[in-house]
């Protein structure tokens, strides 16, 4: 029963945040600020994780496909496919759910418990829209950029590790990552990323916005935001993969 | 003028407001006094629509606020300034940006005009040289004053102050009280103030309403409150040694 209560309140909130903004210029400015807050500040962690992810994937694929009938370039090919289709969009989104989700929920939750949201409402401002919509839009723009970067850096990580250790000759690795490249794979990954960005920001915004109580509850909201965004990402990952790839 | 008729509000089974009928006059400072926990903040939040009352009606001049939807209320809200008990400044904005915020949202002023207006408001609350500090970097009393500056920035017709001078030193408290009274007269605003400070009552109480356990128990002027025979009011007014000495 609680589930329906939350779902109902969540979709009501979505309808509210999609209302026409009071002043478009302020929303535009907020979107830029949030792109900086949510995107650029996550650049470092995305790069570090992707390099190592690509390197480890290459080594593991190499060790697990040690078969005379399999060509060497299959390692590069498998690494590329895994990174583009799954690791970059889903793993980066899960990491962002932790980093960005907790940030959004605690920021908005604190505003709720210190009456800053009441102060917005009293001015006649659509508080949910003003606080959540710029974050949703910013993440839907900036997360695909992060994910494309992650793909590139991840594949480079594989390249570096093959050059350094020779688990696969570099020329075979390069041949593999260029082998039968399909642009739709990128499109598929970016569609997933955009959906995940919407989930992370709106779910975290939801838990922040409906915080009741004090500092303790802000902490709880922030935990819930991360847990539920991650669960919904994994759920929608399955659904979208089924719809888009089959 | 703001009027509430038969206002009732409960949280769960606990009634907090019981059939409060009260009116607040234009151009006057209307005080709501009462003990801590008597329901002053809840009454004020019902008046501005932050809490939905369970029953009763609210009128802003001739407009029936309690029957309006979000869109209609927005018109009234833009004519309304409110000072929250905790200040409720926006953490991510500087003092100056906080005061300019309502202007940014609802006026077509240029940057200079907004800055000018913000500075005027900050000067009136005796706050200079703090423009570029963040709320976390200023004292509690300063926060309160910034919040007042923000509440009056957009020249509201209706001003609500929840304990405007709690946490201020006596001199600043009087300055703030008088400021509120001045602008009320100057712009012919309808001002509602929650307080439990007898100094404020004596200083600016054009009209005083005493709330007791969620009921409107007594109302009158600041002169009448000293003479009333009402026991609960007397207990409240003469709670301090100072007031008792003055009475004699
Ligand atoms: N959101 C809420 N949920 C449940 N009870 C509440 C809520 N808000 C207020 N109350 C209760 O309503 C009563 C009146 O609270 P209110 O904040 O109006 O007091 P007050 O008169 O403003 O006191 P103070 O002078 O200390 O600010 C209190 O007993 C409080 O516990
Ligand atoms: Mg109060």
């Amino acid at each position: 029963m609680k589930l329906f209560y939350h779902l109902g309140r969540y979709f009501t909130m979505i309808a509210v945040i999609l209302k026409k903004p009071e002043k478009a210029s302020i929303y535009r400015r907020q979107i830029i600020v949030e792109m900086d807050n949510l995107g650029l500040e996550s650049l470092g962690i995305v790069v570090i994780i992707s390099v190592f992810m690509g390197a480890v994937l290459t080594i593991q694929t190499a060790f697990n496909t040690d078969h005379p009938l399999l060509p060497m370039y299959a390692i590069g090919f498998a690494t590329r496919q895994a990174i583009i289709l799954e690791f970059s969009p889903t793993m980066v989104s899960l990491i962002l759910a932790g980093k960005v989700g907790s940030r959004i929920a605690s920021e908005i939750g604190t505003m709720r418990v210190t009456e800053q949201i009441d102060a917005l409402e009293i001015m006649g401002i659509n508080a949910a829209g003003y606080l959540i919509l710029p974050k949703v839009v910013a993440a839907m723009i900036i997360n695909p950029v992060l994910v494309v970067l992650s793909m590139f850096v991840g594949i480079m990580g594989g390249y570096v590790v093959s050059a350094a250790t020779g688990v696969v000759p570099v020329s075979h690795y390069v041949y593999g990552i260029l082998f039968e490249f399909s642009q739709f794979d990128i499109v598929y990954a970016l569609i997933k990323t955009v959906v995940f960005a919407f989930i992370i920001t709106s779910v975290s915004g939801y838990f922040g916005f409906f915080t009741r109580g004090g500092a303790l509850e802000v902490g709880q909201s922030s935990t819930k935001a991360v847990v539920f965004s991650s669960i919904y990402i994994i759920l929608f990952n399955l659904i979208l993969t089924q719809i888009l790839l089959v | 003028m703001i009027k509430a008729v038969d206002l009732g509000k409960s949280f769960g089974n606990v009634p907090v407001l019981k059939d409060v009928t009260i009116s607040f006059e234009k151009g006057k400072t209307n005080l709501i006094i009462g003990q801590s926990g008597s329901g002053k903040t809840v009454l004020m939040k019902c008046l501005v629509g932050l809490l939905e009352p369970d029953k009763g009606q609210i009128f802003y001049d001739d407009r029936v606020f309690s029957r309006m939807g979000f869109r209609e209320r927005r018109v009234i809200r833009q004519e309304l300034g409110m000072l929250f008990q905790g200040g409720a400044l926006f953490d991510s904005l500087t003092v100056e940006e906080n005061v300019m915020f309502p202007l940014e949202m609802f006026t077509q002023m240029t940057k200079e005009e907004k800055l000018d207006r913000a500075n005027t408001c900050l000067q009136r609350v005796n706050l200079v040289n703090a423009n570029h500090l963040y709320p976390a970097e200023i004292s509690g009393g300063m926060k309160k004053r910034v919040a007042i500056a923000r509440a009056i920035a957009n020249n509201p017709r209706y001003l609500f102050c929840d304990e405007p001078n709690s946490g201020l030193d006596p001199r600043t408290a009087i300055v703030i009280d008088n400021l509120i009274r001045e602008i009320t007269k100057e712009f012919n605003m309808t001002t509602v103030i929650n307080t439990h400070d007898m100094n404020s009552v004596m200083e600016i109480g054009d009209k005083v309403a005493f709330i007791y356990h969620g009921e409107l128990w007594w109302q009158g002027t600041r002169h009448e409150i000293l003479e009333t025979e009402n026991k609960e009011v007397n207990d409240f007014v003469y709670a301090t040694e100072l007031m008792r000495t003055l009475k004699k």
Side-chain angles (χ1 to χ4, degrees):
Chain A
M1 262 8 252
K2 207 90 195 230
L3 174 73
F4 290 111
Y5 170 73
H6 282 292
L7 277 180
R9 203 166 60 160
Y10 172 79
F11 284 109
T12 315
M13 182 196 85
I14 296 294
V16 169
I17 70 173
L18 292 178
K19 279 196 183 144
K20 190 169 165 287
E22 284 81 22
K23 207 164 180 183
S25 62
I26 293 188
Y27 274 63
R28 272 199 297 275
R29 195 183 63 199
Q30 285 301 105
I31 290 173
I32 306 287
V33 171
E34 297 299 348
M35 276 165 70
D36 187 24
N37 285 344
L38 307 180
L40 294 184
E41 288 187 6
S42 308
L43 216 63
I45 190 164
V46 167
V47 168
I48 291 171
I49 286 176
S50 305
V51 170
F52 284 91
M53 172 186 81
V56 170
L57 259 179
T58 305
I59 298 173
Q60 286 189 344
T61 316
F63 277 106
N64 288 306
T65 53
D66 196 9
H67 193 280
L69 284 182
L70 270 176
M72 277 298 221
Y73 70 77
I75 298 167
F77 175 74
T79 305
R80 182 198 80 203
Q81 288 305 82
I83 287 179
I84 291 181
L85 292 179
E86 195 55 35
F87 277 82
S88 281
T90 310
M91 215 166 108
V92 167
S93 294
L94 282 172
I95 286 162
L96 291 176
K99 188 170 182 294
V100 170
S102 60
R103 182 198 169 109
I104 292 177
S106 53
E107 180 188 327
I108 297 181
T110 305
M111 291 188 75
R112 166 64 78 189
V113 302
T114 55
E115 297 184 314
Q116 293 175 52
I117 291 183
D118 287 347
L120 285 171
E121 275 173 1
I122 211 71
M123 293 177 195
I125 293 167
N126 171 1
Y130 173 75
L131 294 174
I132 301 173
L133 186 62
K135 292 181 169 57
V136 173
V137 175
M140 287 169 79
I141 295 172
I142 205 80
N143 285 16
V145 177
L146 291 175
V147 164
V148 168
L149 179 77
S150 157
M151 290 171 180
F152 178 76
V153 174
I155 291 171
M156 284 312 286
Y159 179 89
V160 170
V161 89
S162 31
T165 66
V167 284
V168 42
V170 171
S171 61
H172 288 255
Y173 181 78
V174 173
Y175 182 80
I177 60 175
L178 297 175
F179 182 72
E180 281 196 354
F181 177 73
S182 137
Q183 283 172 350
F184 177 75
D185 290 351
I186 305 273
V187 174
Y188 156 80
L190 293 186
I191 291 175
K192 288 210 298 192
T193 307
V194 170
V195 173
F196 296 162
F198 182 84
I199 291 175
I200 296 169
T201 44
S202 62
V203 170
S204 311
Y206 170 81
F207 282 107
F209 196 77
F210 290 103
T211 304
R212 285 283 174 276
L216 205 62
E217 284 80 5
V218 173
Q220 288 168 355
S221 295
S222 148
T223 309
K224 275 191 208 152
V226 176
V227 170
F228 283 96
S229 330
S230 305
I231 291 175
Y232 286 118
I233 286 176
I234 289 167
L235 190 68
F236 273 82
N237 189 28
L238 180 67
I239 296 172
L240 287 174
T241 306
Q242 180 69 22
I243 293 174
L244 293 172
L245 285 194
V246 179
Chain B
M1 182 162 101
I2 302 172
K3 203 165 76 182
V5 179
D6 273 342
L7 215 56
K9 174 78 186 168
S10 312
F11 290 104
N13 295 327
V14 187
V16 174
L17 291 181
K18 300 166 202 159
D19 297 330
V20 176
T21 299
I22 191 168
S23 64
F24 306 99
E25 287 170 37
K26 197 174 190 158
K28 288 193 176 170
T29 41
N30 302 274
L31 267 55
I32 302 173
I33 61 171
Q35 291 168 12
S36 184
S38 55
K40 303 185 294 295
T41 300
V42 172
L43 173 59
M44 190 172 271
K45 287 193 171 169
C46 286
L47 289 175
V48 297
L50 284 173
L51 289 173
E52 275 314 312
D54 302 332
K55 61 185 278 267
Q57 284 165 319
I58 296 162
F59 302 86
Y60 278 71
D61 294 314
D62 297 326
R63 298 171 288 184
V64 193
F65 184 73
S66 42
R67 276 208 219 118
M68 291 180 176
F70 178 81
R71 210 174 283 270
E72 294 166 287
R73 282 185 181 189
R74 200 148 80 183
V75 179
I76 291 187
R77 293 215 159 134
Q78 286 168 25
E79 304 170 353
L80 179 160
M82 177 155 178
L83 166 69
F84 287 83
Q85 197 163 356
L89 297 178
F90 303 124
D91 290 326
S92 57
L93 304 181
T94 61
V95 163
E96 185 178 274
E97 289 165 344
N98 261 289
V99 181
M100 277 162 52
F101 189 86
L103 306 175
E104 299 243 358
M105 270 293 178
F106 298 112
T107 67
Q108 304 298 328
M109 290 183 179
T110 64
K111 184 99 209 273
E112 284 72 40
E113 288 169 330
K114 282 183 281 194
L115 262 177
D116 205 49
R117 176 79 191 142
N119 280 320
T120 313
C121 294
L122 285 169
Q123 267 161 20
R124 293 201 77 157
V125 294
N126 266 334
L127 209 72
V128 281
N129 299 328
N131 287 33
H132 300 293
L133 297 178
Y134 284 90
E137 299 167 338
I138 60 179
S139 76
M142 287 163 88
K143 280 184 198 154
K144 207 97 204 203
R145 286 182 277 158
V146 178
I148 294 174
R150 184 179 68 185
I152 61 174
N154 207 6
N155 278 324
R157 285 175 65 185
Y158 311 100
L159 181 65
F160 294 85
C161 302
D162 199 352
E163 315 225 348
N165 58 16
S166 64
L168 296 179
D169 62 278
R171 255 189 75 195
T172 315
I174 293 293
V175 170
I176 295 295
D177 280 346
N178 284 319
L179 166 72
I180 293 173
R181 183 138 100 144
E182 262 168 49
I183 53 178
T184 302
K185 297 262 182 295
E186 198 175 320
F187 300 105
N188 202 19
M189 298 193 295
T190 307
T191 301
V192 182
I193 303 170
N194 276 356
T195 185
H196 33 50
D197 180 11
M198 273 313 290
N199 286 328
S200 302
V201 175
M202 299 322 297
E203 193 80 15
I204 59 165
D206 293 339
K207 236 189 125 214
V208 184
F210 179 77
I211 304 282
Y212 186 72
H213 288 307
E215 284 178 64
L216 175 62
W217 203 255
W218 180 90
Q219 52 184 337
T221 67
R222 64 171 182 265
H223 307 295
E224 289 163 359
I225 201 170
L226 296 176
E227 260 102 65
T228 175
E229 301 288 315
N230 191 304
K231 180 176 178 304
E232 285 75 18
V233 177
N234 270 322
D235 287 349
F236 182 88
V237 173
Y238 297 107
T240 60
E241 192 61 44
L242 178 66
M243 288 301 290
R244 282 195 293 273
T245 319
L246 285 180
K247 192 180 185 186
K248 288 174 205 155

